């Protein structure tokens, strides 16, 4: 089906929609430079870069930042190992209940974070596991695995099944086939999945609230900071950091999976 | 002479379907063996039973005398040229060819040297640095061949190796494969549904039908003396004659085959056997003429250059003296 050129009204509506979605992000950046520290008055009375220095010197920012980076790194690493293995099994094996298990793997990302958080919290309580960095990691890993799994399983399906047979035919054992044939073809998909997982974990709030105990990650620190009256622009400076840390990996992941098409189909 | 591959009453069931159904087979060492049959006849499953990607449901498979039923593919000294080549897309051509040596732990310098040799063997010198995606279909076919041969297999399996190539290239590759096999002396087992390919390349042909072997023999035997109606029809589109028709043509009352080229058309008054032309099919080097007789229809091949009949013409027919072949089985 073909469409004529969009009407002026439609264009305006589209631009309006995009502006509604993205202008507030620009406002966050703008208020990082405001001279007024108690309210977000518009327009800002003046511009300054002093809040970057203030943020840098505030000791209470660094522990949440380190914690967020550590949690994101560990849960991503965990997800990349487990997600790849599950994808390998699901892409090749045919067994009873395969579709159901596939659904169970994807479920954590479809479930509301509140549910995941509550169930994990009660599970930790029943097993008498004290809250720590590791409970946060476990919470984040549930949805990070899904991201990696989805990326890997899509790539594995595109790879022709014959190349793993060809590898075995030429004398490679299962490990050699994985190492020399599957992994190189999975590489960009895994990297993309890992970056998305990292970004998702880095700014996660809901599951973290239920599994963190007394520690706070960077997003939770920001949430607490917003209700305080002083040095508000510091939060905006931190928001910019969060934006960069999460947006850049997502952008990279997008380009990686897009470029992967010609490597995966090359054997045909 | 020892046999390279032996099947003793081998079956392979998929659920209720018997893809391979009690096959006995002997492939002589050094032979060029064709498995010919329509799709779904079990020929590819037989090939995969030899390579180890399928496990037999029953029976025994031997490769050079050793039972291999439970030996996994990577431990068998046979290699396969896959139907769609299955080259590794992320590796260069040279690394593709050297792969079999790499996984066996052959040193880098040695394996690359031998891979270069293999590329030279298939006339692809200088292509080592390219990626498979940068090659034509015929070149990929050669890479797949070199990659399988680098391991010096005692049996080389080829799964419809020429299926994806155009006619001209296919004919050239047929000659090359045949020459290569004679030079290397390795046993080649290849699967095809193209009877011309099987007849022109192989020194033994096994015709598959519904999971069973309908006939095994030299190409000339299978072509001239089909054992069953299926073989007569599938290998070279023979006329299959019912017992009554055989008798009417001067043979015994039994099922028989008659090659279209074993019948000659003459003016209608030069023979007692007469009919009229109901269909013509131009094949380039010949014309396939369908003639209706009082007791049935016959397909006749008239070589180009001979006088051609028209639709509806009355013609006389003369059978070659040894044209009628009585089949063992209906």
């Amino acid at each position: 089906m073909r469409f004529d050129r969009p009407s002026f009204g439609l264009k305006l509506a589209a631009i309006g929609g995009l502006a509604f979605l993205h202008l507030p992000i620009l406002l966050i950046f703008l208020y990082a430079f405001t001279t007024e520290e108690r309210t977000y008055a518009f327009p800002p009375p003046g511009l300054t870069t002093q809040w970057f220095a203030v943020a840098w010197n505030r000791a209470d920012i660094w522990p949440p930042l380190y914690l967020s980076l550590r949690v994101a790194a560990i849960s991503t690493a965990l997800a990349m190992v487990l997600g790849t293995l599950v994808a390998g099994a699901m892409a090749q094996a045919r067994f009873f209940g395969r579709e159901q298990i596939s659904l169970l793997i994807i479920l954590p990302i479809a479930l509301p974070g509140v549910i995941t958080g509550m169930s994990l919290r009660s599970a930790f309580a029943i097993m008498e596991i004290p809250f720590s960095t590791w409970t946060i990691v476990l919470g984040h890993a549930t949805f990070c695995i899904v991201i990696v799994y989805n990326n890997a399983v899509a790539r594995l399906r595109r790879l022709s099944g014959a190349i793993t047979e060809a590898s075995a035919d030429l004398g490679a054992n299962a490990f050699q086939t994985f190492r020399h044939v599957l992994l190189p073809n999975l590489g960009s998909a895994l990297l993309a999945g890992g970056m998305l997982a990292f970004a998702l974990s880095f700014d996660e709030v809901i599951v973290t609230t239920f599994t963190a105990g007394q520690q706070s990650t960077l997003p939770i620190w920001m949430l607490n900071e917003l209700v305080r009256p002083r040095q508000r622009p510091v939060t905006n400076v931190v928001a910019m950091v969060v934006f960069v840390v999460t947006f850049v990996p997502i952008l990279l992941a997008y380009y990686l999976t897009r470029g992967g098409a010609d490597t995966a189909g090359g054997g045909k | 002479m020892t046999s390279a591959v032996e099947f003793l009453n081998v079956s392979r069931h998929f659920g209720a379907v018997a893809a391979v159904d009690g096959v006995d087979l002997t492939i002589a060492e050094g032979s060029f063996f064709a498995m010919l049959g329509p799709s779904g006849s079990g020929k590819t499953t037989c090939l995969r039973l030899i390579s180890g990607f399928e496990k037999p449901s029953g029976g025994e498979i031997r490769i050079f005398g050793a039972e291999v039923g439970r030996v996994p593919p990577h431990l068998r000294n046979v290699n396969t040229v896959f139907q769609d080549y299955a080259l590794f897309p992320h590796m260069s051509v040279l690394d593709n060819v050297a792969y079999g040596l790499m996984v066996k732990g052959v040193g880098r310098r040695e394996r690359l040297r031998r891979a270069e040799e293999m590329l030279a063997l298939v006339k692809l010198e200088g292509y080592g640095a390219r990626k498979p995606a940068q090659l034509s279909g015929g070149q990929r076919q050669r890479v797949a061949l070199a990659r399988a041969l680098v391991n010096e297999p005692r049996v080389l399996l080829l799964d419809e190796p020429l299926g994806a190539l155009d006619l001209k290239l296919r004919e050239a590759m047929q000659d090359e494969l045949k020459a290569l096999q004679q030079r290397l002396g390795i046993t080649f087992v290849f699967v095809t549904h193209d009877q011309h390919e099987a007849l022109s390349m192989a020194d033994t042909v096994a015709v598959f039908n519904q999971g069973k072997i309908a006939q095994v023999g030299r190409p000339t035997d299978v072509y001239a003396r089909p054992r069953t109606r299926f073989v007569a029809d599938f290998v070279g589109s023979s006329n299959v004659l019912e017992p009554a028709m055989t008798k009417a043509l001067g043979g015994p009352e039994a099922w028989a085959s008659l090659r279209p080229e074993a019948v000659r058309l003459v003016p209608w008054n030069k023979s007692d056997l007469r009919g009229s032309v109901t269909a013509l099919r131009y094949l380039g080097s010949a014309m396939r003429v369908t003639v209706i007789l009082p007791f049935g229809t016959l397909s006749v091949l008239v070589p180009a250059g001979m006088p051609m009949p028209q639709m509806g013409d009355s013609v006389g027919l003369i059978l070659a003296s040894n044209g009628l072949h009585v089949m063992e089985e209906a």
Side-chain angles (χ1 to χ4, degrees):
Chain A
M1 196 149 69
R2 269 193 60 123
F3 291 98
D4 290 330
R5 289 177 58 81
S7 70
F8 178 72
L10 186 60
K11 277 187 200 168
L12 203 68
I15 291 168
L18 283 174
F20 179 77
L21 284 174
H22 295 117
L23 278 184
I25 299 176
L26 289 183
L27 279 181
I28 287 177
F29 293 170
L30 180 68
Y31 282 123
F33 297 95
T34 184
T35 48
E36 208 280 320
E37 64 170 302
R38 283 170 205 283
T39 58
Y40 287 137
F42 190 85
L47 295 176
T48 173
T49 53
Q50 61 157 320
W51 302 116
F52 286 83
V54 173
W56 184 266
N57 290 320
R58 286 252 315 246
D60 60 326
I61 294 178
W62 296 103
L65 178 64
Y66 287 144
L67 180 66
S68 277
L69 287 174
R70 206 161 67 232
V71 165
I74 299 172
S75 39
T76 301
L78 200 64
M80 284 180 70
V81 174
L82 296 178
T84 310
L85 292 178
V86 173
M90 298 298 280
Q92 310 214 317
R94 298 279 171 275
F95 54 86
F96 179 74
R98 182 172 171 277
E99 295 306 314
Q100 288 73 13
I101 288 180
S102 170
L103 184 70
L104 282 179
I105 294 169
I106 298 175
L107 203 58
I109 208 138
L111 273 182
V114 187
I115 307 278
T116 311
M118 278 172 65
S119 59
L120 280 172
R121 195 182 176 90
S122 50
F124 290 147
I126 291 167
M127 290 187 280
E128 293 172 12
I129 299 173
F131 292 119
S132 69
T133 308
W134 292 102
T135 51
I136 309 177
V137 165
L138 283 179
H140 286 197
T142 56
F143 54 81
C144 287
I145 287 174
V146 183
I147 303 292
V148 175
Y149 166 80
N150 273 345
N151 270 276
V153 95
R155 179 64 59 84
L156 282 173
R157 284 201 186 120
R158 270 195 295 172
L159 283 173
S160 112
I163 63 170
T164 55
E165 280 195 356
S167 174
D169 186 80
L170 291 164
N173 58 34
F175 175 74
Q176 286 171 318
T177 299
F178 182 76
R179 156 94 179 70
H180 297 297
V181 174
L182 285 183
L183 210 52
N185 283 298
L186 272 180
S188 60
L190 285 185
L191 202 56
M195 284 178 177
L196 285 173
F198 186 91
L200 222 68
S201 163
F202 190 77
D203 71 352
E204 214 283 336
V205 176
I206 304 170
V207 175
T208 318
T209 320
F210 282 92
T211 53
Q214 296 305 312
Q215 303 187 85
S216 47
T217 59
L218 202 58
I220 290 184
W221 176 88
M222 286 169 72
L223 212 58
N224 296 333
E225 197 63 18
L226 274 178
V227 296
R228 293 189 192 165
R230 292 194 63 248
Q231 293 191 337
R232 280 201 161 175
V234 169
T235 321
N236 292 58
V237 171
V238 176
M240 284 178 75
V241 173
V242 173
F243 178 82
V244 171
V245 171
T246 57
F247 189 68
V248 169
I250 288 172
L251 208 63
L252 280 175
Y254 171 73
Y255 281 106
L256 277 173
T257 40
R258 205 182 49 162
D262 45 71
T263 48
K268 266 285 186 189
Chain B
M1 192 155 49
T2 48
S3 49
V5 180
E6 251 182 308
F7 276 34
L8 302 171
N9 195 26
V10 171
S11 296
R12 175 68 174 107
H13 300 273
F14 297 105
V17 183
V20 175
D21 189 5
V23 164
D24 286 297
L25 186 66
T26 304
I27 299 174
E29 184 177 5
S31 67
F32 200 135
F33 192 94
M35 293 179 172
L36 174 66
S39 53
S41 60
K43 57 192 192 306
T44 298
T45 308
C46 272
L47 199 77
R48 291 173 62 82
L49 282 163
I50 303 174
S51 58
F53 292 113
E54 299 291 347
K55 303 259 176 289
S57 312
E60 207 175 303
I61 299 171
R62 293 186 192 147
I63 298 177
F64 288 98
E67 222 293 296
V68 295
R70 302 287 148 191
V71 179
H74 70 277
L75 299 179
R76 297 190 184 194
N77 195 8
V78 298
N79 288 112
T80 308
V81 175
F82 288 86
Q83 187 167 12
D84 58 358
Y85 317 137
L87 300 178
F88 306 124
H90 59 291
M91 290 183 197
S92 70
V93 164
L94 196 63
D95 284 337
N96 259 283
V97 177
Y99 186 83
L101 300 173
M102 181 191 72
V103 296
K104 285 193 180 66
V106 177
R108 184 173 170 78
R109 177 178 300 220
E110 167 71 5
R111 69 176 188 250
L112 292 186
R113 186 186 64 75
R114 279 165 66 185
E116 293 276 13
E117 272 177 22
M118 281 300 136
L119 282 180
L121 184 74
V122 298
K123 301 181 186 134
L124 277 181
E125 298 106 322
Y127 283 84
R130 297 201 192 184
K131 287 283 175 70
Q134 295 169 293
L135 300 181
S136 71
Q139 289 166 336
R140 285 182 209 178
Q141 156 80 66
R142 288 161 194 265
V143 176
L145 195 61
R147 186 179 67 171
L149 286 171
V150 82
N151 279 355
E152 297 174 352
R154 295 184 75 183
V155 180
L156 183 75
L157 308 175
L158 304 105
D159 185 5
E160 303 260 2
L162 310 175
L165 306 179
D166 61 61
L167 182 66
K168 196 83 190 157
L169 202 53
R170 196 154 69 218
E171 285 175 350
M173 277 307 286
Q174 282 175 9
D175 293 342
E176 253 181 70
L177 273 180
K178 183 81 189 155
L180 196 62
Q181 191 266 338
Q182 281 167 350
R183 210 168 109 207
L184 298 172
I186 298 174
T187 310
F188 276 32
V189 181
F190 86 107
V191 156
T192 180
H193 61 259
D194 181 336
Q195 59 272 40
H196 301 296
E197 203 168 283
L199 294 176
S200 64
M201 288 163 78
D203 36 53
T204 312
V205 177
V207 185
F208 280 74
N209 183 30
Q210 296 179 337
K212 290 183 161 73
I213 293 182
Q215 186 169 4
V216 189
R218 290 181 303 164
T220 49
D221 290 341
V222 173
Y223 184 78
R225 286 186 287 282
R227 212 174 62 80
T228 70
R229 280 153 64 186
F230 173 81
V231 176
D233 184 53
F234 191 77
V235 184
S237 322
S238 268
N239 293 293
V240 176
L241 310 179
E242 289 175 29
M245 197 166 165
T246 314
K247 196 156 191 284
L249 289 170
E253 192 166 347
W255 284 92
S257 72
L258 176 64
R259 290 286 154 198
E261 64 274 20
V263 184
R264 203 152 51 85
L265 292 187
V266 292
W268 69 275
N269 54 4
K270 294 281 172 65
S271 168
D272 294 333
L273 199 58
R274 291 169 195 163
S276 63
V277 175
T278 60
L280 295 167
R281 191 157 156 231
Y282 184 57
L283 304 174
S285 60
M287 180 82 84
R288 183 179 285 271
V289 182
T290 308
V291 181
I292 187 156
L293 294 100
F295 43 83
T297 55
L298 280 181
S299 212
V300 180
L301 218 52
V302 181
M306 301 290 284
M308 285 296 162
Q310 302 293 311
M311 283 288 281
D313 278 3
S314 289
V315 290
L317 299 96
I318 292 176
L319 269 57
S321 58
N322 58 354
L324 275 181
H325 163 71
V326 176
M327 292 186 288
E328 283 172 38
E329 204 178 277

